[in-house]
Amino acid sequence: MALCFGTDEAASRRAFTEDLSPLGLFIKTANVCNPNTVLRIELLVDDQPICFDARVMWAKRVPQNLFHLVKKSGMGVRIIRFHNGRDRYMGLCDYPAQTVAEGH
């Protein structure tokens, strides 16, 4: 899933996430920030972005030429507060579990 993030309200850097949970997510990016940095994140879902602030908990820097070879290059963030779309975000976190439970 595509997202935008940044250290200000602009959230101008583009990246992807592969791992959502109710408490946070993993951002796959070569442009990592230091732990404890607060980010504005916008998940690009349909035509209504989900917007929240999150704190960087860990970061793994990888050289640009090796970025696509390393599985977890990027940063893990913990959600601090939602600006909009909290219920939609929680629904996205539940989706894989429902799919498995239904046998799809």
Side-chain angles (χ1 to χ4, degrees):
M1 176 180 308
L3 62 84
C4 291
F5 72 95
T7 55
D8 55 18
E9 291 185 20
S12 58
R13 296 181 183 171
R14 292 186 61 89
F16 293 92
T17 182
E18 303 169 340
D19 187 10
L20 296 174
S21 82
L23 298 177
L25 57 98
F26 169 70
I27 300 174
K28 184 168 182 63
T29 180
N31 298 313
V32 300
C33 299
N34 292 327
N36 289 321
T37 302
V38 175
L39 300 175
R40 171 70 54 101
I41 298 173
E42 291 183 9
L43 288 177
L44 307 175
V45 181
D46 301 325
D47 59 346
Q48 296 178 344
I50 298 169
C51 186
F52 54 91
D53 293 337
R55 182 177 310 279
V56 177
M57 302 306 290
W58 61 268
K60 184 173 182 182
R61 284 185 168 79
V62 176
Q64 189 70 33
N65 60 335
L66 300 176
F67 177 71
H68 294 291
L69 301 175
V70 177
K71 185 173 179 134
K72 287 287 186 183
S73 55
M75 54 193 164
V77 300
R78 179 179 217 96
I79 297 170
I80 300 170
R81 75 186 69 80
F82 279 90
H83 296 284
N84 63 49
R86 182 187 183 283
D87 291 341
R88 291 182 68 220
Y89 179 87
M90 294 304 169
L92 292 172
C93 294
D94 291 340
Y95 181 75
Q98 290 172 352
T99 303
V100 172
E102 294 170 6
H104 295 285

